[in-house]
């Protein structure tokens, strides 16, 4: 038996159910409270790992989707939606010629902090790399890899992410760029 006691087996079964069957508002809010984000209308879906330096850098009215990974000096402004399987990591490694590897933990000459602007939506599977500022009210399309900071009201798509359109701040309309405008 891989478990020492019946109690260990029951705990494992409870945790497994909790992580797989409880993607609902009540449990998502409870997860946020347990992780120290309570009282700010934050919901955290099952499997998300949030390791920010300062919990006060996560704003109000935030949703963090299934199995997201958020790590380091990350600021999430108010009214942000983060879809499932997103990776937002503020770590940065420096190549060390002496060892011919990326053995240095961080590059002190590089501001690796990440800011997710107010009202933005990161769709499923988005990756945001270190040192990036996502502008206000951005739509980052599914699967995009953001390697450069973005302007406000931008629609970003692709690998690496490029601006594919913009959002009209008055009407909320998505305005997609033509092929000529993308060049």
């Amino acid at each position: 038996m891989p478990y020492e006691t019946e109690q260990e087996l029951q705990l494992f079964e409870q945790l497994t159910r909790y992580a797989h069957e409880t993607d609902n508002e009540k449990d998502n809010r409870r997860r946020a409270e347990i992780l120290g984000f309570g009282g700010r209308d934050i919901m955290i879906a099952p499997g998300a790992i949030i390791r920010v330096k300062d919990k006060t850098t996560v704003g109000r009215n935030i949703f963090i989707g299934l199995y997201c990974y958020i790590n380091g000096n990350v600021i999430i402004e108010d009214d942000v939606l983060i879809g499932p399987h997103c990776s937002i990591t503020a770590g940065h490694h420096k190549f060390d010629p002496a060892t011919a590897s990326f053995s240095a933990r961080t590059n002190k000459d590089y501001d690796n902090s990440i800011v997710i602007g107010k009202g933005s939506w990161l769709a499923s599977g988005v990756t945001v790399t270190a040192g990036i500022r996502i502008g206000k009210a951005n739509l980052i399309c599914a699967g995009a890899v953001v390697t450069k900071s973005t302007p406000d009201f931008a629609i970003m798509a692709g690998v690496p992410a490029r601006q594919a359109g913009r959002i009209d701040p008055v009407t909320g309309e998505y305005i997609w760029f033509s092929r000529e405008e993308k060049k």
Side-chain angles (χ1 to χ4, degrees), residues 47-69:
I49 297 172
I50 300 129
R51 298 171 46 197
V52 294
K53 286 189 174 185
D54 180 358
K55 291 187 183 349
T56 66
T57 63
V58 177
R60 298 184 177 283
N61 193 29
I62 307 294
F63 178 81
I64 299 172
L66 292 161
Y67 302 103
C68 286
Y69 180 66

Side-chain angles (χ1 to χ4, degrees), residues 153-175:
F153 302 101
I155 300 172
M156 306 296 295
V159 179
R162 298 190 195 296
Q163 190 168 359
R166 65 181 178 82
I167 300 169
D168 184 308
V170 175
T171 66
E173 177 185 5
Y174 295 175
I175 301 162

Side-chain angles (χ1 to χ4, degrees), residues 10-68:
Q10 288 175 352
L11 179 60
F12 176 78
E13 288 175 358
Q14 289 171 344
L15 289 170
T16 301
R17 272 194 223 92
Y18 187 74
H20 289 88
E21 296 177 1
T22 65
D23 187 15
N24 59 61
E25 185 175 341
K26 177 184 172 189
D27 288 338
N28 289 347
R29 287 185 193 284
R30 182 69 182 130
R31 261 184 219 86
E33 289 172 16
I34 290 167
L35 293 173
F37 298 102
R40 290 182 277 158
D41 200 23
I42 297 173
M43 291 191 287
I44 300 173
I49 297 172
I50 300 129
R51 298 171 46 197
V52 294
K53 286 189 174 185
D54 180 358
K55 291 187 183 349
T56 66
T57 63
V58 177
R60 298 184 177 283
N61 193 29
I62 307 294
F63 178 81
I64 299 172
L66 292 161
Y67 302 103
C68 286

Side-chain angles (χ1 to χ4, degrees), residues 30-121:
R30 182 69 182 130
R31 261 184 219 86
E33 289 172 16
I34 290 167
L35 293 173
F37 298 102
R40 290 182 277 158
D41 200 23
I42 297 173
M43 291 191 287
I44 300 173
I49 297 172
I50 300 129
R51 298 171 46 197
V52 294
K53 286 189 174 185
D54 180 358
K55 291 187 183 349
T56 66
T57 63
V58 177
R60 298 184 177 283
N61 193 29
I62 307 294
F63 178 81
I64 299 172
L66 292 161
Y67 302 103
C68 286
Y69 180 66
I70 301 171
N71 187 28
N73 190 16
V74 177
I75 297 167
I76 302 172
E77 295 180 352
D78 296 344
D79 306 315
V80 169
L81 297 173
I82 300 175
H85 301 279
C86 290
S87 177
I88 303 168
T89 56
H92 188 76
H93 299 274
K94 185 175 181 180
F95 183 77
D96 181 359
T99 63
S101 69
F102 290 89
S103 58
R105 181 81 176 159
T106 60
N107 183 342
K108 292 179 174 71
D109 301 325
Y110 180 77
D111 179 10
N112 61 351
S113 60
I114 294 173
V115 177
I116 308 298
K118 179 180 179 1
S120 291
W121 172 27

